[in-house]
Amino acid sequence: MGRSVAENDRYQLVVSIINYRTGDMTIACVQSVLAQLSNIHGHVVVVDNASGDGSADQIAAWIEAQPAGTPVSLLRSPDNSGFSGGHNQAFAAFDAELYFVLNSDALLRDGCLDELLKQTLIQPKVGLFAPRLEGEDGEVQVSCFRMPTPVTELIRAAQTGIVARFFRLHDQPLEMSPSDADIGWASFAAIAIRREVIEAVGPMDEGFFLYFEDTDYCLSATRAGWSITYVEDARVVHFRGGSAPVKKLGAARKRLPAYYYASRSRLFYKAYGRSGLLAANLLWHLGRLIAAARVVVGGSYPRTVAKEARDIWINFRTPLGDRMGGQRK
């Protein structure tokens, strides 16, 4: 992977940040990283995913205005290559011992990078290092999860406590701080990945445009024998939803983009085959029946996002097909 360089020319750390129409936010993110690179042989690479709004030029001008030798570069993608494609460009362009994938809607707390690098030395068999994600007020965010199964979709659709308790080992969110043995995947809003992991399992699957690529990559890494650890002392402020729309749409119960469901179908198919994808969809519908039954006993009916009963079938016939989900009505 990456360019051919002598080992002593390899960076300790490369931080990869994607910009898509978040110029000011991306620059603030970069500044928080550069503030921690004084004693690290590292580099920051911003990949602009064909924003087309002038933010790439804004970032380029900001970089040009920095002192000579400031370790930051801008890569301009010719098209919007998605989350996976954007970070893969950074992996290929710069050789490093550790790659830190970081959302543009994030800022590093002091000491974050030093702590991550320390953990790579302490835990040589760990492949992915998940820092603590927190809000601006310091409140911890859930960032580590069990691997989803078809039963997870039953829990998600039913939104009923007794179902979640009965199938608790299929419920994704973990208590923070989690045991490493329980972590199936961690959020790629901020994740450090060893070079050896990328060499072993390859770059991220660009068949995912946005969402579920982190779950898929963690599955590939753990199947290859690498583990994931949570690094509580490496802290990252994460302004949720600042760089992608799905969380905001979900909170408003509005219809989610087709690419979200295309990624969901791809993940379940890769993890469990066609029968697993079918089971996930059918269990989701069973969950909605359970949710509706709550009304019979005097409870409220928990809503899901608009059109989800239809949209979960996007790409069911071709789960490895069009990553954008094609046309829908």
Side-chain angles (χ1 to χ4, degrees), residues 207-238:
F208 295 90
F209 177 70
L210 190 60
Y211 294 100
F212 297 103
E213 63 282 296
D214 44 10
T215 313
D216 173 72
Y217 201 77
C218 288
L219 178 62
S220 296
T222 54
R223 283 177 170 175
W226 293 96
S227 60
I228 306 165
T229 195
Y230 178 65
V231 186
E232 188 159 21
D233 291 337
R235 299 166 60 199
V236 176
V237 178
H238 181 215

mmCIF file of all heavy atoms in Angstrom, residues 207-238:
data_model
loop_
_atom_site.group_PDB
_atom_site.id
_atom_site.type_symbol
_atom_site.label_atom_id
_atom_site.label_comp_id
_atom_site.label_asym_id
_atom_site.label_seq_id
_atom_site.Cartn_x
_atom_site.Cartn_y
_atom_site.Cartn_z
ATOM 1 N N GLY A 207 -17.377 0.288 -2.064
ATOM 2 C CA GLY A 207 -18.778 0.004 -2.364
ATOM 3 C C GLY A 207 -19.727 0.620 -1.354
ATOM 4 O O GLY A 207 -20.933 0.695 -1.603
ATOM 5 N N PHE A 208 -19.189 1.069 -0.216
ATOM 6 C CA PHE A 208 -19.955 1.858 0.745
ATOM 7 C C PHE A 208 -19.702 3.326 0.432
ATOM 8 O O PHE A 208 -18.560 3.785 0.517
ATOM 9 C CB PHE A 208 -19.499 1.573 2.178
ATOM 10 C CG PHE A 208 -19.754 0.172 2.659
ATOM 11 C CD1 PHE A 208 -18.800 -0.819 2.480
ATOM 12 C CD2 PHE A 208 -20.941 -0.152 3.303
ATOM 13 C CE1 PHE A 208 -19.014 -2.112 2.923
ATOM 14 C CE2 PHE A 208 -21.166 -1.451 3.753
ATOM 15 C CZ PHE A 208 -20.205 -2.434 3.559
ATOM 16 N N PHE A 209 -20.756 4.059 0.099
ATOM 17 C CA PHE A 209 -20.562 5.492 -0.141
ATOM 18 C C PHE A 209 -20.429 6.233 1.184
ATOM 19 O O PHE A 209 -19.510 7.017 1.388
ATOM 20 C CB PHE A 209 -21.725 6.065 -0.947
ATOM 21 C CG PHE A 209 -21.618 7.550 -1.168
ATOM 22 C CD1 PHE A 209 -20.656 8.066 -2.012
ATOM 23 C CD2 PHE A 209 -22.478 8.427 -0.522
ATOM 24 C CE1 PHE A 209 -20.528 9.444 -2.198
ATOM 25 C CE2 PHE A 209 -22.373 9.799 -0.704
ATOM 26 C CZ PHE A 209 -21.391 10.306 -1.542
ATOM 27 N N LEU A 210 -21.356 5.968 2.082
ATOM 28 C CA LEU A 210 -21.345 6.618 3.382
ATOM 29 C C LEU A 210 -22.197 5.780 4.327
ATOM 30 O O LEU A 210 -23.293 5.350 3.951
ATOM 31 C CB LEU A 210 -21.906 8.042 3.271
ATOM 32 C CG LEU A 210 -21.753 8.965 4.482
ATOM 33 C CD1 LEU A 210 -20.275 9.157 4.828
ATOM 34 C CD2 LEU A 210 -22.394 10.324 4.201
ATOM 35 N N TYR A 211 -21.665 5.528 5.513
ATOM 36 C CA TYR A 211 -22.283 4.715 6.569
ATOM 37 C C TYR A 211 -22.004 3.222 6.378
ATOM 38 O O TYR A 211 -21.958 2.728 5.257
ATOM 39 C CB TYR A 211 -23.784 4.977 6.701
ATOM 40 C CG TYR A 211 -24.065 6.380 7.187
ATOM 41 C CD1 TYR A 211 -24.430 7.385 6.293
ATOM 42 C CD2 TYR A 211 -23.886 6.724 8.521
ATOM 43 C CE1 TYR A 211 -24.642 8.687 6.718
ATOM 44 C CE2 TYR A 211 -24.100 8.027 8.961
ATOM 45 C CZ TYR A 211 -24.476 9.003 8.064
ATOM 46 O OH TYR A 211 -24.662 10.289 8.478
ATOM 47 N N PHE A 212 -21.794 2.589 7.505
ATOM 48 C CA PHE A 212 -21.541 1.151 7.632
ATOM 49 C C PHE A 212 -20.166 0.720 7.145
ATOM 50 O O PHE A 212 -19.793 -0.440 7.316
ATOM 51 C CB PHE A 212 -22.629 0.323 6.934
ATOM 52 C CG PHE A 212 -24.000 0.502 7.522
ATOM 53 C CD1 PHE A 212 -24.935 1.310 6.868
ATOM 54 C CD2 PHE A 212 -24.354 -0.111 8.698
ATOM 55 C CE1 PHE A 212 -26.202 1.491 7.403
ATOM 56 C CE2 PHE A 212 -25.618 0.059 9.245
ATOM 57 C CZ PHE A 212 -26.544 0.861 8.598
ATOM 58 N N GLU A 213 -19.377 1.627 6.544
ATOM 59 C CA GLU A 213 -18.041 1.232 6.141
ATOM 60 C C GLU A 213 -17.163 0.953 7.348
ATOM 61 O O GLU A 213 -16.271 0.094 7.297
ATOM 62 C CB GLU A 213 -17.383 2.282 5.236
ATOM 63 C CG GLU A 213 -17.159 3.645 5.870
ATOM 64 C CD GLU A 213 -18.414 4.487 5.950
ATOM 65 O OE1 GLU A 213 -18.966 4.839 4.907
ATOM 66 O OE2 GLU A 213 -18.823 4.800 7.091
ATOM 67 N N ASP A 214 -17.406 1.657 8.466
ATOM 68 C CA ASP A 214 -16.621 1.397 9.670
ATOM 69 C C ASP A 214 -16.951 0.022 10.251
ATOM 70 O O ASP A 214 -16.062 -0.736 10.642
ATOM 71 C CB ASP A 214 -16.808 2.497 10.715
ATOM 72 C CG ASP A 214 -18.243 2.944 10.918
ATOM 73 O OD1 ASP A 214 -19.174 2.294 10.395
ATOM 74 O OD2 ASP A 214 -18.443 3.962 11.618
ATOM 75 N N THR A 215 -18.237 -0.325 10.271
ATOM 76 C CA THR A 215 -18.644 -1.642 10.752
ATOM 77 C C THR A 215 -18.011 -2.733 9.893
ATOM 78 O O THR A 215 -17.470 -3.721 10.398
ATOM 79 C CB THR A 215 -20.176 -1.775 10.714
ATOM 80 O OG1 THR A 215 -20.772 -0.603 11.279
ATOM 81 C CG2 THR A 215 -20.634 -2.995 11.495
ATOM 82 N N ASP A 216 -18.077 -2.557 8.586
ATOM 83 C CA ASP A 216 -17.520 -3.540 7.659
ATOM 84 C C ASP A 216 -16.014 -3.674 7.840
ATOM 85 O O ASP A 216 -15.478 -4.793 7.851
ATOM 86 C CB ASP A 216 -17.837 -3.117 6.221
ATOM 87 C CG ASP A 216 -17.154 -4.004 5.193
ATOM 88 O OD1 ASP A 216 -17.578 -5.164 5.039
ATOM 89 O OD2 ASP A 216 -16.190 -3.538 4.560
ATOM 90 N N TYR A 217 -15.318 -2.548 8.001
ATOM 91 C CA TYR A 217 -13.866 -2.631 8.109
ATOM 92 C C TYR A 217 -13.446 -3.298 9.416
ATOM 93 O O TYR A 217 -12.493 -4.094 9.437
ATOM 94 C CB TYR A 217 -13.230 -1.248 7.994
ATOM 95 C CG TYR A 217 -11.771 -1.335 7.581
ATOM 96 C CD1 TYR A 217 -11.432 -1.585 6.259
ATOM 97 C CD2 TYR A 217 -10.757 -1.194 8.514
ATOM 98 C CE1 TYR A 217 -10.109 -1.704 5.870
ATOM 99 C CE2 TYR A 217 -9.427 -1.309 8.137
ATOM 100 C CZ TYR A 217 -9.107 -1.565 6.818
ATOM 101 O OH TYR A 217 -7.793 -1.687 6.441
ATOM 102 N N CYS A 218 -14.150 -2.994 10.484
ATOM 103 C CA CYS A 218 -13.845 -3.651 11.757
ATOM 104 C C CYS A 218 -14.096 -5.152 11.663
ATOM 105 O O CYS A 218 -13.336 -5.958 12.224
ATOM 106 C CB CYS A 218 -14.685 -3.044 12.876
ATOM 107 S SG CYS A 218 -14.176 -1.373 13.353
ATOM 108 N N LEU A 219 -15.152 -5.547 10.953
ATOM 109 C CA LEU A 219 -15.427 -6.969 10.764
ATOM 110 C C LEU A 219 -14.280 -7.632 10.003
ATOM 111 O O LEU A 219 -13.809 -8.722 10.376
ATOM 112 C CB LEU A 219 -16.739 -7.147 10.006
ATOM 113 C CG LEU A 219 -17.148 -8.593 9.674
ATOM 114 C CD1 LEU A 219 -17.347 -9.405 10.946
ATOM 115 C CD2 LEU A 219 -18.420 -8.609 8.831
ATOM 116 N N SER A 220 -13.802 -6.988 8.948
ATOM 117 C CA SER A 220 -12.685 -7.542 8.181
ATOM 118 C C SER A 220 -11.427 -7.651 9.040
ATOM 119 O O SER A 220 -10.699 -8.652 8.970
ATOM 120 C CB SER A 220 -12.399 -6.658 6.962
ATOM 121 O OG SER A 220 -13.493 -6.649 6.070
ATOM 122 N N ALA A 221 -11.169 -6.636 9.847
ATOM 123 C CA ALA A 221 -9.970 -6.640 10.685
ATOM 124 C C ALA A 221 -10.034 -7.730 11.753
ATOM 125 O O ALA A 221 -9.050 -8.440 11.985
ATOM 126 C CB ALA A 221 -9.784 -5.273 11.335
ATOM 127 N N THR A 222 -11.184 -7.870 12.405
ATOM 128 C CA THR A 222 -11.295 -8.886 13.457
ATOM 129 C C THR A 222 -11.259 -10.288 12.857
ATOM 130 O O THR A 222 -10.698 -11.213 13.453
ATOM 131 C CB THR A 222 -12.574 -8.688 14.293
ATOM 132 O OG1 THR A 222 -13.721 -8.634 13.436
ATOM 133 C CG2 THR A 222 -12.489 -7.390 15.087
ATOM 134 N N ARG A 223 -11.825 -10.471 11.672
ATOM 135 C CA ARG A 223 -11.737 -11.773 11.002
ATOM 136 C C ARG A 223 -10.298 -12.103 10.639
ATOM 137 O O ARG A 223 -9.930 -13.280 10.540
ATOM 138 C CB ARG A 223 -12.619 -11.784 9.748
ATOM 139 C CG ARG A 223 -14.107 -11.946 10.046
ATOM 140 C CD ARG A 223 -14.951 -11.879 8.782
ATOM 141 N NE ARG A 223 -16.339 -12.272 9.043
ATOM 142 C CZ ARG A 223 -17.314 -12.218 8.140
ATOM 143 N NH1 ARG A 223 -17.049 -11.780 6.907
ATOM 144 N NH2 ARG A 223 -18.536 -12.591 8.445
ATOM 145 N N ALA A 224 -9.473 -11.075 10.445
ATOM 146 C CA ALA A 224 -8.059 -11.283 10.141
ATOM 147 C C ALA A 224 -7.215 -11.434 11.397
ATOM 148 O O ALA A 224 -5.984 -11.566 11.305
ATOM 149 C CB ALA A 224 -7.529 -10.129 9.289
ATOM 150 N N GLY A 225 -7.858 -11.414 12.557
ATOM 151 C CA GLY A 225 -7.145 -11.665 13.803
ATOM 152 C C GLY A 225 -6.742 -10.445 14.603
ATOM 153 O O GLY A 225 -6.099 -10.568 15.646
ATOM 154 N N TRP A 226 -7.139 -9.250 14.149
ATOM 155 C CA TRP A 226 -6.804 -8.030 14.880
ATOM 156 C C TRP A 226 -7.931 -7.670 15.848
ATOM 157 O O TRP A 226 -9.096 -7.913 15.574
ATOM 158 C CB TRP A 226 -6.582 -6.869 13.911
ATOM 159 C CG TRP A 226 -5.378 -7.040 13.059
ATOM 160 C CD1 TRP A 226 -5.324 -7.542 11.789
ATOM 161 C CD2 TRP A 226 -4.028 -6.730 13.413
ATOM 162 N NE1 TRP A 226 -4.030 -7.558 11.333
ATOM 163 C CE2 TRP A 226 -3.208 -7.068 12.310
ATOM 164 C CE3 TRP A 226 -3.432 -6.211 14.568
ATOM 165 C CZ2 TRP A 226 -1.831 -6.891 12.322
ATOM 166 C CZ3 TRP A 226 -2.057 -6.026 14.579
ATOM 167 C CH2 TRP A 226 -1.276 -6.361 13.468
ATOM 168 N N SER A 227 -7.560 -7.049 16.958
ATOM 169 C CA SER A 227 -8.566 -6.623 17.930
ATOM 170 C C SER A 227 -8.689 -5.104 17.930
ATOM 171 O O SER A 227 -7.893 -4.391 17.321
ATOM 172 C CB SER A 227 -8.213 -7.127 19.332
ATOM 173 O OG SER A 227 -6.957 -6.609 19.751
ATOM 174 N N ILE A 228 -9.723 -4.636 18.628
ATOM 175 C CA ILE A 228 -10.039 -3.210 18.729
ATOM 176 C C ILE A 228 -10.013 -2.837 20.202
ATOM 177 O O ILE A 228 -10.519 -3.588 21.051
ATOM 178 C CB ILE A 228 -11.439 -2.918 18.153
ATOM 179 C CG1 ILE A 228 -11.560 -3.461 16.726
ATOM 180 C CG2 ILE A 228 -11.745 -1.419 18.194
ATOM 181 C CD1 ILE A 228 -13.000 -3.539 16.233
ATOM 182 N N THR A 229 -9.438 -1.702 20.524
ATOM 183 C CA THR A 229 -9.422 -1.259 21.908
ATOM 184 C C THR A 229 -9.945 0.167 22.022
ATOM 185 O O THR A 229 -9.855 0.962 21.071
ATOM 186 C CB THR A 229 -8.006 -1.349 22.512
ATOM 187 O OG1 THR A 229 -8.073 -1.244 23.941
ATOM 188 C CG2 THR A 229 -7.097 -0.237 21.991
ATOM 189 N N TYR A 230 -10.502 0.454 23.178
ATOM 190 C CA TYR A 230 -11.006 1.798 23.487
ATOM 191 C C TYR A 230 -9.970 2.523 24.315
ATOM 192 O O TYR A 230 -9.512 2.019 25.347
ATOM 193 C CB TYR A 230 -12.322 1.682 24.247
ATOM 194 C CG TYR A 230 -12.946 2.991 24.681
ATOM 195 C CD1 TYR A 230 -13.406 3.906 23.747
ATOM 196 C CD2 TYR A 230 -13.094 3.298 26.041
ATOM 197 C CE1 TYR A 230 -13.999 5.094 24.131
ATOM 198 C CE2 TYR A 230 -13.693 4.478 26.441
ATOM 199 C CZ TYR A 230 -14.144 5.376 25.490
ATOM 200 O OH TYR A 230 -14.732 6.562 25.885
ATOM 201 N N VAL A 231 -9.575 3.725 23.876
ATOM 202 C CA VAL A 231 -8.527 4.491 24.551
ATOM 203 C C VAL A 231 -9.174 5.712 25.208
ATOM 204 O O VAL A 231 -9.319 6.766 24.576
ATOM 205 C CB VAL A 231 -7.417 4.898 23.567
ATOM 206 C CG1 VAL A 231 -6.260 5.561 24.315
ATOM 207 C CG2 VAL A 231 -6.912 3.686 22.786
ATOM 208 N N GLU A 232 -9.534 5.558 26.455
ATOM 209 C CA GLU A 232 -10.318 6.604 27.124
ATOM 210 C C GLU A 232 -9.530 7.892 27.309
ATOM 211 O O GLU A 232 -10.112 8.989 27.321
ATOM 212 C CB GLU A 232 -10.823 6.104 28.476
ATOM 213 C CG GLU A 232 -11.780 7.045 29.145
ATOM 214 C CD GLU A 232 -12.652 6.376 30.187
ATOM 215 O OE1 GLU A 232 -12.262 5.304 30.676
ATOM 216 O OE2 GLU A 232 -13.718 6.934 30.505
ATOM 217 N N ASP A 233 -8.217 7.784 27.470
ATOM 218 C CA ASP A 233 -7.415 8.984 27.720
ATOM 219 C C ASP A 233 -7.063 9.752 26.450
ATOM 220 O O ASP A 233 -6.453 10.819 26.525
ATOM 221 C CB ASP A 233 -6.130 8.602 28.466
ATOM 222 C CG ASP A 233 -6.407 8.156 29.895
ATOM 223 O OD1 ASP A 233 -7.460 8.551 30.438
ATOM 224 O OD2 ASP A 233 -5.583 7.404 30.459
ATOM 225 N N ALA A 234 -7.435 9.212 25.302
ATOM 226 C CA ALA A 234 -7.290 9.954 24.033
ATOM 227 C C ALA A 234 -8.660 10.526 23.709
ATOM 228 O O ALA A 234 -9.569 9.806 23.311
ATOM 229 C CB ALA A 234 -6.801 9.032 22.931
ATOM 230 N N ARG A 235 -8.835 11.819 23.886
ATOM 231 C CA ARG A 235 -10.164 12.416 23.850
ATOM 232 C C ARG A 235 -10.350 13.285 22.595
ATOM 233 O O ARG A 235 -9.478 14.060 22.222
ATOM 234 C CB ARG A 235 -10.407 13.244 25.108
ATOM 235 C CG ARG A 235 -10.340 12.422 26.391
ATOM 236 C CD ARG A 235 -10.244 13.303 27.618
ATOM 237 N NE ARG A 235 -11.384 14.184 27.736
ATOM 238 C CZ ARG A 235 -11.398 15.282 28.487
ATOM 239 N NH1 ARG A 235 -10.316 15.648 29.156
ATOM 240 N NH2 ARG A 235 -12.488 16.032 28.547
ATOM 241 N N VAL A 236 -11.523 13.118 21.983
ATOM 242 C CA VAL A 236 -11.869 13.851 20.766
ATOM 243 C C VAL A 236 -13.256 14.462 20.940
ATOM 244 O O VAL A 236 -14.212 13.756 21.298
ATOM 245 C CB VAL A 236 -11.882 12.916 19.534
ATOM 246 C CG1 VAL A 236 -12.333 13.668 18.288
ATOM 247 C CG2 VAL A 236 -10.502 12.291 19.306
ATOM 248 N N VAL A 237 -13.362 15.767 20.715
ATOM 249 C CA VAL A 237 -14.667 16.422 20.709
ATOM 250 C C VAL A 237 -15.313 16.166 19.352
ATOM 251 O O VAL A 237 -14.717 16.440 18.311
ATOM 252 C CB VAL A 237 -14.547 17.935 20.957
ATOM 253 C CG1 VAL A 237 -15.927 18.597 20.904
ATOM 254 C CG2 VAL A 237 -13.878 18.207 22.291
ATOM 255 N N HIS A 238 -16.532 15.639 19.380
ATOM 256 C CA HIS A 238 -17.216 15.300 18.137
ATOM 257 C C HIS A 238 -18.545 16.042 18.071
ATOM 258 O O HIS A 238 -19.435 15.811 18.888
ATOM 259 C CB HIS A 238 -17.461 13.775 18.085
ATOM 260 C CG HIS A 238 -18.141 13.321 16.838
ATOM 261 N ND1 HIS A 238 -19.051 12.286 16.817
ATOM 262 C CD2 HIS A 238 -18.062 13.770 15.546
ATOM 263 C CE1 HIS A 238 -19.489 12.103 15.595
ATOM 264 N NE2 HIS A 238 -18.912 12.995 14.802
#
